[in-house]
Amino acid sequence: MTFKTTLRSSVLGASIFLLAAGSAKAFLPFLLPPQEGPVGKAHEPVIEAVSAQKEIGIGELWKIYIRASDPDGDVDKIYVSFSQLGDSYIALPLLLKRPVRKIQGAILTWTTLASTSTQTGVIYGTAEVHVEDRAGNMSNSKTFEFILDPFGPKDKFVPPVALAEGPVYGQVDFPIRSEDDLAGDDDVERTED
């Protein structure tokens, strides 16, 4: 009987801890496989190329093409971070189904604004891409600028031949907010001071 009570209280305690953490990032250590493998400069993956359409419409499906390699063949995470004037966002990693030696394909994102405003002007932003292997070795990063336009085009980008063939690895969040929402954050901060 004591064992059941101890087990129940342990499970309850763990559940409360996870609920109190309150975000997906709190669950990340439980979702990722254990880090294993060689570490150091000689074992770091390398991003060789990143390419995407530079101007995209709001509400469109946008492909970001990537090519990367790893000397140990254990790359298993892709990171895409977005920034805009006044705000930045580090995304959770896109976990690959299995570790790979080479990444050559696309990452998808819906260019839907993460904000409450329905009207917006043109938004200028940057995206940064890097990869990580199972041992925790991080690659170099590649950054590119983009324009988000309410009346912009669909993604009709034809990538360079070296990036064109490959799978779609998954979808990442697109946390860009309208300039009106960012200005509203400034107003709130000023009133609190």
Side-chain angles (χ1 to χ4, degrees):
M1 194 61 151
T2 306
F3 174 73
K4 287 184 181 179
T5 306
T6 305
L7 180 63
R8 280 188 212 150
S9 59
S10 297
V11 170
L12 180 61
S15 300
I16 291 171
F17 169 74
L18 291 174
L19 287 173
S23 73
K25 287 185 182 180
F27 294 102
L28 200 54
F30 301 104
L31 298 176
L32 295 179
Q35 291 187 343
E36 56 188 42
V39 295
K41 191 77 172 157
H43 303 284
E44 291 177 357
V46 176
I47 293 211
E48 299 164 6
V50 173
S51 194
Q53 183 167 305
K54 301 296 185 211
E55 184 175 353
I56 190 76
I58 294 175
E60 299 297 336
L61 185 61
W62 188 34
K63 285 185 179 178
I64 300 171
Y65 296 90
I66 179 175
R67 187 176 73 208
S69 61
D70 182 66
D72 304 312
D74 61 346
V75 169
D76 65 346
K77 293 176 271 312
I78 302 172
Y79 292 85
V80 182
S81 303
F82 295 95
S83 297
Q84 67 186 111
L85 186 60
D87 203 12
S88 64
Y89 177 81
I90 299 173
L92 291 173
L94 178 62
L95 302 175
L96 303 181
K97 292 179 184 176
R98 60 181 176 76
V100 296
R101 180 170 299 280
K102 184 169 187 128
I103 292 175
Q104 182 172 327
I107 303 160
L108 300 176
T109 189
W110 284 102
T111 59
T112 305
L113 294 177
S115 60
T116 56
S117 178
T118 57
Q119 296 181 349
T120 186
V122 174
I123 298 172
Y124 298 90
T126 60
E128 180 180 10
V129 180
H130 67 272
V131 297
E132 183 181 1
D133 67 14
R134 284 178 58 90
N137 296 308
M138 296 291 268
S139 72
N140 57 318
S141 65
K142 296 280 186 183
T143 303
F144 62 93
E145 297 177 350
F146 65 90
I147 298 171
L148 188 63
D149 189 338
F151 306 106
K154 292 184 175 189
D155 191 345
K156 297 178 184 176
F157 181 68
V158 178
V161 176
L163 294 173
E165 294 184 19
V168 172
Y169 289 103
Q171 185 173 334
V172 295
D173 294 333
F174 189 76
I176 300 298
R177 300 190 306 160
S178 74
E179 299 296 332
D180 292 340
D181 282 342
L182 290 176
D185 288 349
D186 291 343
D187 292 341
V188 170
E189 290 175 12
R190 275 190 230 120
T191 57
E192 291 175 354
D193 289 341

